[in-house]
Amino acid sequence: MSNDSDVLLKVVDLKMHFPIYRGVFQRQVGAVHAVDGVSFDVKRGETLGLVGESGCGKSTTGRAILQLYKPTAGEIFFEGTNLITLKREEMRWMRRQMQMIFQDPYASLNPRMTVSEIVGEPLSVHNVAAGKEIQERVAHLLELVGLNPSFAGRYPHEFSGGQRQRIGVARALALQPSFIICDEPISALDVSIQAQVVNLLEDLQEQFNLTYLFIAHDLSMVRHISKRVAVMYLGVIMELANRDDLYLEPLHPYTQALLSAVPIPDPLADVNRTRIILEGDVPSPVNPPSGCRFRTRCPIADKICAESRPEFREVRVGHFVACHMVS
Amino acid sequence: MPDLLLDIKGLETQFKTPDGIVHAVNGVSFGLKEGETLGVVGESGCGKSVTMLSILGLIASPPGKVVAGEALFFGQDLLKMPNEKLRHVRGAQIAMIFQDPMTSLNPVLTIGRQLEEPLMIHIDMTKNQARERAAELLSMVGIPNAKDRLNDYPHQYSGGMRQRVMIAMALSCSPQVLIADEPTTALDVTIQAQIMDLVKRLRSELGMAIVWITHDLGVVAGLAQRVLVMYGGFIIEEASVNDLFANPSHPYTIGLIGSLPRVDGKQQGRLYSIEGQPPVLYQKPQSCPFAPRCKWVMERCWKENPLLIPISDEHRVACWVDVKTGRPR
């Protein structure tokens, strides 16, 4: 494994189960196993892509890292501090260094606040700046994300989707964090606007040496922006590797199927591909399959896959896979 | 030239809003040949869905209104057809599937009931015949135990299965034209691959013409034979799918293709981005609607809106600039 000083965030066996209550007495009858034993590192200055289909637990993982949910089990080390054991006040302090950009720029900005209030709020909440200084910092932040500082007095509805997402980015940057979780930051935007926001995120990363956890379902965009990529399925990481290793030589049958399913905007390249079409749908996380989570749709599943859960192991340098069939 | 199934001429649709009249479709003309798959691409608000809804008389009025144009289907103008007659065309001869399979099925009726309805209305089947045909249709779109599953309600089906049901319903009366409005956008990629595979299979078995509306150029590349690119309520480029990707000729198309990262890694380095944002048209534009975002913009672009003109046999483009040379056309 890598040197510990390179590691900004270390997640160890993270589990997030949401209880299901039923009946008159609201007894717990089961749980949604949204995240079920996830471990990975994020290195300083890199972008780790976290991909998977809807319901695989990628967003829940992101939220649990920031302690927006209280994880059921596991440990999360940020700069060596275990976030799980921190008190509320201590966690608040830590949040200065870790921020989030949300998916839906229409829902994540308060419609009754002006841009300057939205972007300035983290500064006043954390007592970093006050009075006129806030206004100056806000103007600077807006400029950073490519918005005209004179828009500071406007309300979110006066902006387009792409501009709103820039406001969300400015808010995340306000406290000068070292780590930002981008939770599907571009999936609500039009294609021509997506490229604008991704280029902005890349520029800011370079300028401020930011570390990103980039959560998305768009495998093409994740390939573009990430240094390493983790693939999740039904609450578990199936494969994690350097970007090129994962895309050029995917080892897990799920990753292979997922990559082959992505349409390529080029009719000539599209003809020569082999498609692996998975049967059926993702099973329910309330009652996930025994053993390997993917076995019910896996084209190469065997007896052992139903019996024991495959270990998430390093099969090549830096290339981790959870599959019995990969040697 | 083979006969056109659908021949749309100069279609214009407007919406009345509190902020003024929005010109959503501004004179769109195109044809659909028998058995072909036509892709319609563009970003949200470009008028791609409104165009198709206008043709089928599905624009809510008010606030919407088709103000000009013709939509000829076997020589008959759909826009002037009386409602009763149009209802027979819709569903029986031209069928449509919508983006969101979660909201386009009735949650309180069984899947079977919803599949039988068009069969009994449009092709006069009896209840029993319709039941049998419904089961056939369900298994045709790849749903196992079709007979039993007819009694299920939509919430018992997953998103991918609901979209299969929508496709089965659309194809139930053997239409000549299937209009699909972003049918895979709400689905995950592995499910999208299943649906596209299914549509390709049904297309070769049944031979209907398809209009596939999407914002995803990847989907178009894998499915369509001919493509229309729309922007600001206009068709700005029209070409065969291979020609469009090999030889994009409108600055917007070029930008769109360039701004896409590729899963096969063939597009490296910084993404090309089109600055600015798509327009909302409160007036019918007198200049090129793309001019404010265009790298190649010239003086003429601000004065006259370019018409769609042929640059080769099957390739038409609406631009004053020849992007290959950077000089006026």
Side-chain angles (χ1 to χ4, degrees):
Chain A
M1 290 283 292
S2 54
N3 189 342
D4 263 10
S5 67
D6 289 349
V7 175
L8 182 69
L9 177 83
K10 188 178 184 64
V11 176
V12 184
D13 205 20
L14 179 72
K15 288 187 183 163
M16 186 68 232
H17 297 172
F18 296 100
I20 303 169
Y21 301 105
R22 284 269 159 76
V24 188
F25 300 106
Q26 291 291 297
R27 275 195 311 176
Q28 188 181 336
V29 293
V32 177
H33 300 71
V35 178
D36 211 13
V38 156
S39 305
F40 60 89
D41 293 342
V42 184
K43 292 176 195 148
R44 216 175 285 278
E46 78 168 349
T47 299
L48 177 70
L50 188 57
V51 286
E53 299 178 276
S54 42
C56 73
K58 54 192 192 301
S59 289
T60 307
T61 303
R63 286 164 172 258
I65 290 170
L66 285 190
Q67 306 289 297
L68 298 178
Y69 300 132
K70 187 146 183 45
T72 313
E75 279 159 310
I76 299 161
F77 295 96
F78 183 79
E79 303 260 29
T81 315
N82 190 349
L83 302 182
I84 305 281
T85 60
L86 291 184
K87 299 204 180 74
R88 251 180 98 89
E89 221 18 68
E90 293 168 324
M91 186 58 214
R92 238 172 96 104
W93 176 257
M94 290 303 282
R95 283 220 182 88
R96 278 190 188 198
Q97 291 174 58
M98 33 202 332
Q99 291 286 316
M100 191 148 182
I101 299 167
F102 295 93
Q103 171 169 6
D104 186 351
Y106 291 86
S108 58
L109 304 176
N110 187 337
R112 290 167 182 252
M113 287 165 77
T114 62
V115 170
S116 123
E117 286 165 351
I118 289 169
V119 176
E121 193 177 28
L123 297 169
S124 56
V125 166
H126 286 270
N127 294 320
V128 181
K132 228 179 136 209
E133 204 196 331
I134 291 188
Q135 297 315 315
E136 282 162 17
R137 296 271 286 262
V138 166
H140 177 65
L141 285 161
L142 290 180
E143 224 164 302
L144 266 182
V145 299
L147 288 174
N148 189 336
S150 66
F151 291 171
R154 297 194 184 179
Y155 289 89
H157 75 263
E158 298 174 68
F159 295 90
S160 67
Q163 289 176 317
R164 286 185 211 211
Q165 203 54 295
R166 287 173 193 265
I167 298 171
V169 173
R171 173 175 62 186
L173 287 176
L175 294 166
Q176 296 170 313
S178 51
F179 177 56
I180 298 182
I181 296 181
C182 309
D183 187 5
E184 303 248 17
I186 53 164
S187 51
L189 305 176
D190 265 321
V191 183
S192 72
I193 312 294
Q194 287 188 351
Q196 293 177 5
V197 173
V198 164
N199 285 342
L200 172 69
L201 287 173
E202 287 183 320
D203 291 345
L204 293 170
Q205 177 166 44
E206 198 171 312
Q207 199 174 346
F208 299 107
N209 192 26
L210 295 170
T211 306
Y212 290 144
L213 178 63
F214 192 88
I215 301 171
H217 67 267
D218 179 344
L219 286 129
S220 318
M221 200 52 96
V222 166
R223 174 169 193 164
H224 174 79
I225 200 171
S226 309
K227 188 153 173 276
R228 291 188 306 142
V229 178
V231 180
M232 276 186 88
Y233 182 81
L234 211 55
V236 179
I237 294 184
M238 292 292 177
E239 185 161 2
L240 190 163
N242 284 328
R243 175 192 54 195
D244 289 341
D245 294 341
L246 190 109
Y247 280 82
L248 296 176
E249 208 188 338
L251 297 176
H252 198 287
Y254 176 62
T255 316
Q256 291 167 356
L258 197 61
L259 289 177
S260 84
V262 180
I264 296 182
D266 179 351
L268 301 175
D270 214 57
V271 173
N272 301 322
R273 293 165 85 205
T274 32
R275 279 255 160 99
I276 307 166
I277 306 243
L278 292 178
E279 300 277 314
D281 293 297
V282 183
S284 158
V286 176
N287 197 4
S290 66
C292 174
R293 295 290 168 94
F294 183 57
R295 70 174 166 85
T296 53
R297 299 172 81 199
C298 182
I300 57 166
D302 205 350
K303 231 174 96 192
I304 184 175
C305 303
E307 286 159 4
S308 73
R309 187 166 159 175
E311 189 196 343
F312 187 57
R313 63 209 157 87
E314 190 167 7
V315 290
R316 316 238 164 107
V317 180
H319 198 143
F320 296 79
V321 181
C323 180
H324 289 302
M325 298 296 152
V326 175
S327 49
Chain B
M1 200 165 130
D3 274 343
L4 293 178
L5 262 182
L6 264 177
D7 191 3
I8 313 300
K9 293 177 185 163
L11 187 75
E12 289 185 34
T13 305
Q14 304 175 349
F15 288 90
K16 238 185 205 149
T17 70
D19 299 331
I21 291 173
V22 173
H23 296 248
V25 179
N26 297 307
V28 158
S29 305
F30 67 93
L32 179 69
K33 292 173 213 153
E34 219 160 300
E36 82 166 337
T37 302
L38 177 69
V40 182
V41 279
E43 298 178 278
S44 35
C46 73
K48 55 192 192 302
S49 294
V50 174
T51 300
M52 297 306 151
L53 293 172
S54 303
I55 294 169
L56 289 182
L58 292 174
I59 294 287
S61 175
K65 195 166 182 227
V66 181
V67 293
E70 303 184 334
L72 302 177
F73 178 63
F74 287 112
Q76 285 180 298
D77 191 352
L78 297 174
L79 303 179
K80 296 206 179 72
M81 207 175 262
N83 246 331
E84 261 317 292
K85 222 172 144 194
L86 186 59
R87 238 176 77 181
H88 187 73
V89 171
R90 246 182 351 228
Q93 291 169 290
I94 305 179
M96 185 148 183
I97 42 181
F98 298 93
Q99 172 169 1
D100 191 351
M102 305 295 163
T103 55
S104 30
L105 289 166
N106 187 333
V108 300
L109 299 179
T110 62
I111 296 288
R113 171 92 192 267
Q114 297 186 57
L115 273 169
E116 288 155 22
E117 192 177 279
L119 295 168
M120 286 155 61
I121 292 177
H122 289 303
I123 48 180
D124 296 325
M125 280 192 171
T126 63
K127 176 88 187 151
N128 284 338
Q129 286 171 325
R131 190 83 186 161
E132 214 158 282
R133 178 82 180 122
E136 277 172 33
L137 286 165
L138 264 198
S139 54
M140 177 181 85
V141 295
I143 289 180
N145 308 329
K147 260 207 170 105
D148 299 334
R149 299 229 55 176
L150 284 178
N151 298 320
D152 286 352
Y153 288 88
H155 75 268
Q156 290 164 293
Y157 280 54
S158 68
M161 286 165 75
R162 278 181 239 193
Q163 201 54 287
R164 284 168 191 265
V165 171
M166 293 304 299
I167 292 172
M169 203 181 289
L171 297 180
S172 62
C173 302
S174 319
Q176 285 102 332
V177 180
L178 174 68
I179 298 177
D181 188 0
E182 306 240 11
T184 58
T185 304
L187 306 174
D188 276 317
V189 279
T190 60
I191 309 297
Q192 169 170 288
Q194 291 176 0
I195 297 289
M196 284 175 62
D197 205 45
L198 171 71
V199 169
K200 281 184 191 166
R201 202 191 83 215
L202 294 174
R203 178 174 69 185
S204 60
E205 282 173 15
L206 307 173
M208 70 278 187
I210 300 176
V211 179
W212 192 280
I213 305 172
T214 180
H215 66 272
D216 188 335
L217 283 165
V219 170
V220 159
L223 206 63
Q225 287 134 15
R226 211 154 54 86
V227 186
L228 308 177
V229 183
M230 289 191 68
Y231 189 83
F234 295 93
I235 295 174
I236 51 112
E237 187 159 6
E238 174 186 351
S240 73
V241 71
N242 290 340
D243 207 17
L244 186 85
F245 285 91
N247 196 9
S249 301
H250 194 285
Y252 176 64
T253 318
I254 294 170
L256 215 52
I257 293 174
S259 67
L260 289 175
R262 287 175 51 160
V263 78
D264 59 359
K266 289 229 176 89
Q267 185 99 24
Q268 299 282 347
R270 203 175 154 85
L271 294 176
Y272 181 90
S273 82
I274 308 175
E275 294 307 319
Q277 51 208 314
V280 180
L281 301 169
Y282 289 113
Q283 274 134 33
K284 190 168 176 185
Q286 303 304 317
S287 59
C288 172
F290 190 63
R293 302 175 76 188
C294 184
K295 283 210 299 207
W296 283 278
V297 67
M298 322 179 292
E299 220 180 301
R300 189 173 187 188
C301 307
W302 298 107
K303 291 184 185 144
E304 285 172 84
N305 191 3
L307 295 171
L308 201 57
I309 51 159
I311 54 168
S312 67
D313 245 1
E314 297 232 304
H315 199 148
R316 298 194 294 161
V317 64
C319 183
W320 295 123
V321 185
D322 182 348
V323 290
K324 283 221 182 74
T325 59
R327 279 194 235 111
R329 245 181 231 296

